[in-house]
Amino acid sequence: NKLLLQETQLLSLQSQINPHFLFNTLDTLSKKAYMEGSEETSDLLVNVANLLRYNLKRLDRKVTLYEEVNVLRQYIEIQKARFTERLRFTAQVDESCLYVQVPGLTLQPIVENAVIHAVEPSEDGGEIVFRVRREDALVKIEIEDDGPGMPEESREQILAGGSYLTEGHSTGIGFSNVVKRLRLFYGLQDIVEIDSVLGRGTKVTLKIPQPRRDRKSVV
């Protein structure tokens, strides 16, 4: 039993990479690429390092929508380097909404789900539209794609809080996990809508309540 425990501990240690070592290595590679004139490669390495650093933070922390949008843009830049013109991404963001608080790692898993289903399988790629806007006492966040759509049973499974993890998620966080955390964070059930038609794409809408003190300023 002692030998088995030692072997298990050794395997566990071997499977871990010190995050500081990884970030320092990426930083070194980024500087080296920049010095050699490879600015695009340098920028890509910086985005990867920032994304990893953000993803390693605790999931139960509160962040601003500004932070989430910023890391989402970095994620998209990484995916554009992979898919080039096959990934068409458009953002329409009302910056006055970016002060609201959300759970960490809310946007990236949803957008990544769209990349996996709407962009990756298609030879022509796909389009993802990201919107942030005010509507009455809500900040609405929409992620819309032109992919093959989502089967009704999958849509119901996500909204029911069932397990739904698409293989290939860099965060290891599935769509249903995001839904659960949003409901717990705000104490509301009706916070996520999924509209999907097979062959015509999927639109996910997050309905984020604004703090009461700010609702009077909504026009």
Side-chain angles (χ1 to χ4, degrees):
N1 287 340
K2 187 176 181 180
L3 288 172
L4 181 61
L5 177 60
Q6 288 175 342
E7 184 179 354
T8 302
Q9 290 173 336
L10 178 60
L11 289 172
S12 177
L13 286 171
Q14 287 175 333
S15 68
Q16 295 176 21
I17 298 177
N18 186 313
H20 297 292
F21 168 77
L22 183 59
F23 296 145
N24 289 339
T25 302
L26 288 170
D27 184 55
T28 300
L29 290 171
S30 173
K31 289 176 180 176
K32 182 173 172 56
Y34 183 82
M35 292 296 291
E36 293 175 352
S38 302
E39 293 187 18
E40 289 185 9
T41 302
S42 176
D43 291 342
L44 179 61
L45 288 167
V46 169
N47 285 332
V48 171
N50 289 340
L51 195 66
L52 287 171
R53 187 176 288 109
Y54 190 84
N55 286 350
L56 285 171
K57 293 179 181 178
R58 289 174 56 184
L59 285 178
D60 59 355
R61 75 196 187 285
K62 293 188 287 188
V63 300
T64 62
L65 190 54
Y66 174 85
E67 293 174 88
E68 280 284 294
V69 170
N70 186 49
V71 81
L72 175 61
R73 292 185 190 277
Q74 292 175 326
Y75 167 77
I76 289 296
E77 288 304 311
I78 293 169
Q79 293 302 331
K80 280 184 176 179
R82 177 187 175 193
F83 293 106
T84 61
E85 70 277 358
R86 290 178 58 214
L87 172 57
R88 298 175 293 280
F89 180 81
T90 304
Q92 302 165 6
V93 178
D94 180 347
E95 294 190 0
S96 69
C97 299
L98 298 184
Y99 66 92
V100 298
Q101 293 187 322
V102 295
L105 283 178
T106 291
L107 299 181
Q108 184 191 327
I110 299 176
V111 173
E112 190 165 20
N113 200 69
V115 170
I116 291 169
H117 289 287
V119 179
E120 190 169 359
S122 172
E123 186 176 340
D124 296 326
E127 182 177 9
I128 299 173
V129 180
F130 173 71
R131 305 182 189 91
V132 178
R133 59 187 176 86
R134 292 180 186 269
E135 186 176 298
D136 299 325
L138 298 173
V139 169
K140 284 201 169 182
I141 303 168
E142 297 173 348
I143 297 108
E144 187 171 5
D145 67 63
D146 61 352
M150 182 183 296
E152 179 61 21
E153 57 268 25
S154 297
R155 191 188 76 87
E156 291 178 356
Q157 185 180 14
I158 294 167
L159 293 177
S163 177
Y164 187 83
L165 173 60
T166 300
E167 186 177 350
H169 267 273
S170 63
T171 58
I173 296 172
F175 199 156
S176 56
N177 182 287
V178 173
V179 174
K180 288 177 184 177
R181 290 190 298 119
L182 282 168
R183 286 172 174 169
L184 286 171
F185 188 84
Y186 294 105
L188 299 169
Q189 284 293 112
D190 184 27
I191 201 161
V192 180
E193 289 181 357
I194 303 173
D195 298 305
S196 188
V197 178
L198 290 177
R200 295 179 58 185
T202 300
K203 181 168 78 170
V204 178
T205 304
L206 309 182
K207 299 178 289 184
I208 308 299
Q210 295 184 62
R212 292 183 181 276
R213 65 178 180 277
D214 296 309
R215 292 183 183 177
K216 291 181 182 179
S217 63
V218 178
V219 178

